[in-house]
Amino acid sequence: MTKLRESAKASGKKVRLRSIESGMSDDVRAYRKHYSQFLRSGVFLIDKVSAYLLKTRGKGIRPLLTLVGARAYGHTGALPESTLSAALIVELLHTASLIHDDVVDRADERRGRPSLNLVFNNKVAVLFGDFMLSRSLEGMFNQRNFDVLDLFSDCAFRLARGELVEAIGSRKLDLDKSAYYTMVSDKTASLISAACQMGPLSLGKSVEESLPMKQYGELLGIAFQIRDDLLDFGAGGPRLGKPIGLDLGQAKLTLPLIHVLEQVSPIDKKRILSRLKKSKKAGKRGKKVDLSDIIALIDEKGGIAYSQQVAVDYAKKAAEALQPLPDNEYRRKLEQFAYFAAERDR
Ligand code: FPP
Ligand code: MG
């Protein structure tokens, strides 16, 4: 068993997404109906791209957090339109950012299927991302709530800043742990946190009342992204959707690598970074370089086990942030979700 697997088991709380979704099917169904209706544009090509996206729908984690978040504040009966719309805004913004991210990363796969930029082309993908962003903006405005506009304007700013800082970091091959955490918190935790906070805000709760969800989402988001970075090193096992070594091959500096770079000699550091630089260049010419020896080195030097432990620690802190909320089954789902984020296989 690799060090990674041992540490993933260390929390003793491997959670399945299914157990969090159970009991939420009416809410999820209502949200999905909303989603497919909202994407229709009346323009053939746009609807064709939408149909492809609907087929490649992801796990729907962010909208699920909005729905469970609203329930955690004690809402009973059917969820209001404002909550279903909030879940939709979050998913549209997320999908828009991923479509753009795949263009930036030259990714040819998303959610186990060919990415939009590959099936269509970069131009269609960028413009379709813009289209989704515009639909999301419309949904935000329709909430008629300045706290919501405040939340998403900050979130969009952080998303773009995080993505830019990552791109600059991989160009200069220079990103330390502190810059990594800020980048991850911008790039991923900002939107997960907004998804969480939108649960109570969409029910008319005040910003102050929604703060435990904001805090939970920020911590959860960091755990989620660290685990995402670990999946690039094969942490999810050989099966599912995520290709191995894509981030590394593009010289993206993620926690396992940063941790190891801090420990090795300056000569080894130079050697590793120069391999990554070459791999990135080769990638631009459509070639793939074998980096399995670097992945093995990162595992051997404890970068993977260390990062896994950090992810689980963030998950624990996220679960603790929920303490001010009523003790109900939905709060427990959110607590479980934090561990799922830190230990998921896809
Ligand atoms: C995935 O990261 C990317 C993000 C979480 C954010 C991307 C953000 C942008 C492109 C800015 C967009 C801004 C607006 C306002 C829409 P990753 O590449 O590490 O994850 P992956 O492995 O899933 O691709
Ligand atoms: Mg990417």
Side-chain angles (χ1 to χ4, degrees):
M1 193 191 288
T2 65
K3 284 180 202 151
L4 170 67
R5 290 259 167 241
E6 280 166 23
S7 82
K9 282 191 149 191
S11 74
K13 288 190 182 178
K14 188 114 187 168
V15 179
R16 308 236 159 263
L17 186 56
R18 227 174 301 127
S19 71
I20 300 156
E21 285 170 330
S22 79
M24 294 298 297
S25 53
D26 286 352
D27 292 345
V28 171
R29 210 172 301 120
Y31 150 73
R32 283 199 181 149
K33 203 169 150 202
H34 223 65
Y35 184 87
S36 36
Q37 281 167 356
F38 205 75
L39 270 190
R40 274 183 218 136
S41 71
V43 176
F44 177 71
L45 181 62
I46 300 180
D47 290 347
K48 198 171 142 194
V49 182
S50 298
Y52 181 75
L53 265 189
L54 278 172
K55 270 195 283 174
T56 59
R57 197 171 24 210
K59 298 182 282 293
I61 278 170
R62 291 159 187 80
L64 183 65
L65 284 168
T66 306
L67 303 174
V68 182
R71 293 283 177 204
Y73 278 68
H75 188 87
T76 52
L79 286 173
E81 162 85 17
S82 54
T83 303
L84 300 178
S85 253
L88 179 69
I89 294 167
V90 162
E91 185 62 4
L92 291 173
L93 183 54
H94 172 58
T95 309
S97 74
L98 289 186
I99 293 172
H100 285 174
D101 178 70
D102 285 344
V103 174
V104 171
D105 287 350
R106 294 190 179 83
D108 47 21
E109 211 177 297
R110 170 65 62 188
R111 296 162 174 168
R113 282 172 179 258
S115 58
L116 217 57
N117 42 309
L118 189 80
V119 175
F120 298 89
N121 55 41
N122 278 353
K123 192 163 158 182
V124 170
V126 168
L127 294 174
F128 194 77
D130 291 342
F131 170 71
M132 296 210 90
L133 181 60
S134 73
R135 297 301 276 150
S136 174
L137 285 172
E138 187 183 338
M140 288 169 206
F141 190 72
N142 284 342
Q143 293 267 322
R144 301 289 191 262
N145 179 340
F146 272 107
D147 293 330
V148 170
L149 293 179
D150 241 3
L151 176 67
F152 282 111
S153 57
D154 181 58
C155 174
F157 167 64
R158 287 176 65 195
L159 274 177
R161 184 175 63 183
E163 187 81 348
L164 275 167
V165 167
E166 179 166 60
I168 294 164
S170 93
R171 233 169 83 110
K172 290 190 168 173
L173 285 177
D174 182 23
L175 196 76
D176 64 12
K177 276 186 188 160
S178 147
Y180 169 83
Y181 286 118
T182 309
M183 180 273 286
V184 159
S185 144
D186 278 348
K187 185 180 83 161
T188 304
S190 61
L191 185 55
I192 291 191
S193 177
C196 293
Q197 210 178 348
M198 277 308 287
L201 286 184
S202 68
L203 295 175
K205 303 283 176 198
S206 67
V207 170
E208 207 183 336
E209 287 171 294
S210 70
L211 286 181
M213 284 299 281
K214 176 188 170 79
Q215 178 67 0
Y216 163 78
E218 290 284 346
L219 295 160
L220 163 71
I222 295 175
F224 190 89
Q225 185 60 47
I226 295 176
R227 182 67 186 169
D228 199 74
D229 291 343
L230 282 163
L231 295 179
D232 196 62
F233 292 91
R239 313 166 283 143
L240 302 155
K242 284 234 131 177
I244 294 172
L246 186 68
D247 294 343
L248 192 67
Q250 295 194 334
K252 277 194 185 181
L253 302 184
T254 60
L255 192 57
L257 172 63
I258 296 171
H259 183 69
V260 169
L261 289 177
E262 273 180 5
Q263 297 169 46
V264 294
S265 67
I267 293 174
D268 282 344
K269 182 173 173 178
K270 220 169 150 189
R271 191 179 57 82
I272 295 169
L273 292 180
S274 128
R275 286 279 307 283
L276 299 186
K277 216 186 273 177
K278 279 189 192 139
S279 159
K280 191 177 172 181
K281 267 196 187 152
K284 283 185 186 161
R285 297 193 306 270
K287 289 198 176 135
K288 277 204 170 101
V289 170
D290 180 14
L291 294 172
S292 49
D293 58 323
I294 306 248
I295 295 180
L297 178 81
I298 291 170
D299 192 17
E300 200 182 294
K301 295 264 174 207
I304 292 177
Y306 166 82
S307 306
Q308 183 58 48
Q309 190 54 53
V310 175
V312 171
D313 291 345
Y314 269 100
K316 272 188 197 144
K317 281 193 247 164
E320 281 161 21
L322 295 172
Q323 270 166 14
L325 299 190
D327 184 11
N328 59 28
E329 61 173 303
Y330 300 102
R331 181 178 125 185
R332 279 190 292 283
K333 276 185 190 298
L334 293 169
E335 286 167 358
Q336 279 190 318
F337 189 89
Y339 291 100
F340 162 75
E343 300 186 336
R344 67 206 164 91
D345 290 333
R346 64 193 174 106

